[in-house]
Amino acid sequence: MGTITQALGLSEEQVRGLLQTAALAPSLHNTQPWRFRLTPDWIEVHVDRGRNLRVADPDGRELRIAGGAALFNLRLGLIGLGIRPLVTVLPDPGNPDLVAIVRRGGRRRATPEQQRLLAAVPRRRTNRRPFADVPVASPARYELRRAATEEGAWLHLVTDSQHRFELGRLARQAHQRQSADPAFLAEIATWTGHEAGRPDGVPAAAGGPQPLSNGAWVMRDFSGGTGRIDGPDFEAEPLIGVLSVHTDGPREEIRAGEALERVLLTATVHGLSVSFLSQLVEIPDVRDRMRRLLSGTRPPLAVLRIGHGWPVAATPRLRVEDLVLPAAATSTTPAHTDKELSDDRHRA
């Protein structure tokens, strides 16, 4: 546990609020694997490998996506405070867990769109319950795709009926394979289906109903077996979105996390609910078959189920103090190249 200090010219209370905003990002099973180090001149964003899901995410891909999502919220929070963030991603080749360094780049006023996204941060939820069978309107679909593009990613909305059928089949196959793995079942039981009072993971109350094994889109049981099975059926035709980036690799995975959070916040602004079909990206050969089915080149990093849902409670969060790393033994200004500074100007 570290101490909340002043940073980037902000008071301790402002820094606390900023980190609270960053920490409302999504993460697999609500592991919250982000940590922050504060200095007077910059804020470091780290991932915590102690919270990595080693069975579901052995390569740390979803860990870095979560770090990217927290980075996006941090950027957005700084803009809300009138600060233009300058971001250097993966600044230290010797420390791959250091996701980014964020510095102050002068003043910047939030646009109306950024204000709406920032207001959506505490309202965003992962909704694992059934959605209404109501189509997502075309303007909202356009804004979701644009949100991904603004962060250098793509959101493919699956409208082709044959592609949807094949994706559903792949999702069921992936779910069955994971459900037959005792190590996977033990890991998911560690993080989901617990009673209230724990500051991380998915409590049973947020787990949703138990899924139907013959459903078109198999949902995971995060309720620890306590979810109702006699409630409303899951919607027959959810909007499925596949988020992809240029190529595989840590830098692109962080970018995907930033794009993912922007998409999720945009969905919240439009009154939409979202949950994840993570099994489609967690099994390598299934992920590759999905890639060939939809694009052929760009690797998919997240699959979203999007629709009109009913309100759900927020999942618990760790204390901000528990997210702050102790000050480094030595503090030196991180080196930057001209290219990195040029890139930073586009990461506000």
Side-chain angles (χ1 to χ4, degrees), residues 217-343:
W217 299 96
V218 176
M219 312 298 168
R220 288 171 170 167
D221 180 13
F222 283 176
S223 71
T226 64
R228 292 180 56 190
I229 59 175
D230 58 348
D233 291 338
F234 282 90
E235 67 283 6
E237 294 290 336
L239 178 63
I240 301 297
V242 180
L243 185 77
S244 61
V245 289
H246 288 283
T247 185
D248 277 315
R251 188 175 298 271
E252 286 295 286
E253 290 155 7
I254 293 166
R255 183 187 299 275
E258 294 175 279
L260 173 64
E261 178 66 339
R262 185 160 184 160
V263 168
L264 296 177
L265 294 177
T266 300
T268 303
V269 168
H270 284 270
L272 299 172
S273 296
V274 183
S275 67
F276 296 87
L277 296 167
S278 297
Q279 64 266 37
L280 282 164
V281 295
E282 289 172 356
I283 299 180
D285 65 286
V286 171
R287 178 174 177 252
D288 188 59
R289 288 158 66 188
M290 179 173 59
R291 175 189 60 78
R292 288 186 275 112
L293 174 68
L294 298 180
S295 67
T297 56
R298 296 190 297 269
L301 290 179
V303 183
L304 312 179
R305 162 183 164 254
I306 308 168
H308 296 274
W310 287 266
V312 294
T315 49
R317 295 286 149 171
L318 295 164
R319 296 190 316 150
V320 174
E321 289 81 1
D322 295 330
L323 304 177
V324 178
L325 295 170
T330 59
S331 180
T332 59
T333 303
H336 302 92
T337 66
D338 290 341
K339 182 180 185 299
E340 286 173 328
L341 288 173
S342 177
D343 288 344

Side-chain angles (χ1 to χ4, degrees), residues 187-198:
E187 184 177 73
I188 201 171
T190 299
W191 287 97
T192 70
H194 53 73
E195 297 298 323
R198 179 173 159 176

Side-chain angles (χ1 to χ4, degrees), residues 61-122:
R61 182 186 300 117
E62 294 186 78
L63 183 76
R64 289 182 288 274
I65 290 173
L71 173 60
F72 180 82
N73 279 1
L74 185 70
R75 290 166 48 203
L76 193 61
L78 283 170
I79 293 173
L81 293 169
I83 295 174
R84 180 171 177 258
L86 295 181
V87 180
T88 304
V89 174
L90 296 177
D92 183 357
N95 183 7
D97 293 343
L98 174 55
V99 168
I101 288 176
V102 184
R103 305 180 312 285
R104 184 174 187 136
R107 302 292 298 174
R108 175 170 178 176
R109 179 178 297 177
T111 66
E113 179 183 6
Q114 290 165 338
Q115 291 173 349
R116 290 191 293 271
L117 293 176
L118 183 58
V121 169

Side-chain angles (χ1 to χ4, degrees), residues 135-136 138 141 145 155-165 167 217 237-242 294:
V136 175
S138 294
R141 295 183 182 218
R145 289 193 294 262
L155 182 68
H156 178 78
L157 299 180
V158 184
T159 56
D160 182 276
S161 58
Q162 185 61 32
H163 286 174
R164 288 176 58 83
F165 174 80
L167 274 186
W217 299 96
E237 294 290 336
L239 178 63
I240 301 297
V242 180
L294 298 180

